Amino acid sequence: MINESQMQNDGLPPYLTGLNESQMDAVQTTDGPVLVLAGAGTGKTRVLTTRLAHILATGKAFPGQVLAVTFTNKAAQEMKERVAGILNEPSVERWWLGTFHAIAVRMLRAHAEKVGLGTDFAIIDTDDQLRLVKQLLKENNLDDKKWPPKSVLGVIQRWKDRGQTPDHVSANEAKEFAGGRIHKIYQSYQQRMKELNACDFGDLLLHTLVIFQTYPDVLADYHRRFHYILVDEYQDTNVAQYLWLRLLAQGHQNVCCVGDDDQSIYGWRGAEVGNILRFEKDFPGAKVVRLERNYRSTGRILAAASSVISHNEGRLGKTLWTDDDDGEMIRVRGLWDGEAEARFVGEETESLQRKGQSLDQIAVLVRTGAMTREFEERFLTLGIPYRVIGGARFYERLEIRDALAYLRLVNSADDSLAFERVINTPKRGLGPAAVSVVHQLARQIETSLFKAAQEIVETDELRPAARKSMAGFVAQVERWQGLKNDIPHPELADLILEESGYLEFWQNDKSVEAKGRVENLRELVNALGEFESLPDFLEHVSLVMDTNSQQNQDMVSIMTLHGAKGLEFETVFLPGWEEGLFPNQRAMDEQGLKGLEEERRLAYVGLTRARERAIISFAANRRMHGSWASAIPSRFVDELPHEHIERESDRGIYSAPLEPSYGGFGSGRGWQDNDRVSPGMQRARSYSSGESQLVRQAAQKVSESKSGFGRGERVFHQKFGYGLITSVEGERLTISFDKAGSKKVLSNFVVPAEQAGM
């Protein structure tokens, strides 16, 4: 608690100084349900951390009476460090502060027997999940080529994200997948997990939900325990997380959820923006506090972001503002093709670097991962250092997975998936036939594969050579298990890697990456030293989703818009703002208005990553799936406020103001014509000498920039050929081409059919 000597002259404790009025309101309104709508860059993390510290410092609750839930381990660690600093606490490790999964696994271990598990259950990763699903497909005589294990697992995980056990999946939901047998596979999957004494990530919340719903006394105990609940990134919760929180919040009702409905961009992985939108209905009388003062971006950037997001219907509404200057105009650049766009970004990056801009403060944010290639190649050509955020993580690497499987098997003899992974890695002459015999026995006597192997080496079921090899492996594992409590776990891991022959296997490997794999294995042993025990380390690995980059070089960051959430840069490039690419056509086709609104939230997230300048670009032509396609600017370009943007384009693309189609695209200032003609543009203009006249006619049409076309009119396009206009929307035409099918194009790129033959 804060004593009087720590108070400031105004009577406030030091941790409250510097908060603005809305932030102070969010921190001090401690009782009852509170929703904090925290816009991008408005100090969300500070508010959440200070609120937790305030509850503890004022004696409203002890640390063990507060549940604080974050979405990432990084956020949880940051909150722990900040609160510990405010309260001068030496440690907050045993507090109920962590990710959904970290807290759920802690609860589940305390009540595991209620769902048929042992308290030492293993948490398996995606690789082991896929292996299990593949086995079940085989048992059900299903072709894993027709029904890929990854797709089957995706269906199961979606059910778990919605809080549905096999008993709660309807026949209608299950009948259209895996020949109608997906429900049986889900049931078998869950049963097999219990036999393995294992859980996957979805089970951690699902099992605790079942416990809360089935055992009211357990839920009541948590109601008595938690006087306050704080939740970060509430807009990203899925149904299971939502139900879990609702049940826990029924106790004291002192629940504070912090989030931004305008930044809900993870619908594709189960997040439900509706959870935050209906907070006031779920908690009648709830107070809503809006954090709208932005401390990150310039006024023009905030105006642009607010203008775009205002077109969404499914939002609670807020407007970001700043006391800082308006800053630079938002640049919107039209280019001939994707190559020209990459060249433009490269040149602008070089220019910024010459002016003293740090490359670490420059980011290129793309809609899809496939878009990075051209920017990577351009940066390589220019010698600009860059990093692609989102590569393989340490614990996902092949050699690390194998080593972890050895450690898991030593930690728990019931971990059959780990046994199966390492039994012949490195090769010991124990192929599928020998493993199949072990599987058969394990099923017959209802035990784990390792225990079945212990039995089978005492019989003649295996060939002599295989039996000898199996017996040697079993003896090794038994020895390691015997040493588990006698020697430090890093030393045990080192011993396992040596005696198993796995380290030697990579040391003898002649491939280019072998040396790096050996170094990774050494680093794994180092990592174990940071944990008190082997079980603690294995649980940490199961829960950790991020790894920190150790690279210190100044680099441009390239990443998807989804990966950029939570980050900020001085300069942000936003390429590919074209209809069909962004907003993504597939998202709109599959989700309709819901998909479009999530795409628009992505645009909002992208813009609000920029502190000083945002540069948007789009291409008139882009190579997609091996062929060229014409493109039109994204509707999000139309939604930018014209008084805050500066338009320019390559010569001959958008050289005059366009008619507004979605709301403001062509109003105000027109497009400034750039005299430079890119090589990509020259190539696109020169399809063949026989078409030169058509190209000149199309170019003349561009310069006139007047539609004059009507529905039902036959036209010619230099790439797609002849077609019939089916709809007209300002300068945007939808044309059914004779050979290329239906396309959306600008009127500038077509000529009347009768002129094509001139």
Side-chain angles (χ1 to χ4, degrees), residues 193-227:
M193 293 290 277
K194 289 184 179 181
E195 293 170 2
L196 294 166
N197 191 32
C199 292
D200 60 27
F201 260 57
D203 285 328
L204 299 178
L205 280 163
L206 186 64
H207 285 326
T208 51
L209 265 179
V210 170
I211 292 170
F212 290 164
Q213 293 166 342
T214 311
Y215 298 93
D217 58 318
V218 174
L219 181 59
D221 180 60
Y222 284 112
H223 286 165
R224 288 188 292 270
R225 180 191 301 267
F226 299 130
H227 293 200

Side-chain angles (χ1 to χ4, degrees), residues 656-661 697-698 700-716 725-735 745-755:
L658 301 180
E659 293 295 326
S661 56
Q697 291 169 349
Q700 182 180 0
K701 185 69 179 178
V702 168
S703 65
E704 293 175 354
S705 188
K706 296 178 181 178
S707 174
F709 290 106
R711 185 178 176 184
E713 186 175 352
R714 294 263 310 162
V715 293
F716 178 82
I725 297 175
T726 58
S727 71
V728 179
E729 197 172 3
E731 289 289 326
R732 293 171 170 79
L733 310 177
T734 301
I735 302 173
V745 301
L746 284 172
S747 64
N748 308 59
F749 290 95
V750 299
V751 295
E754 61 271 17
Q755 293 182 18

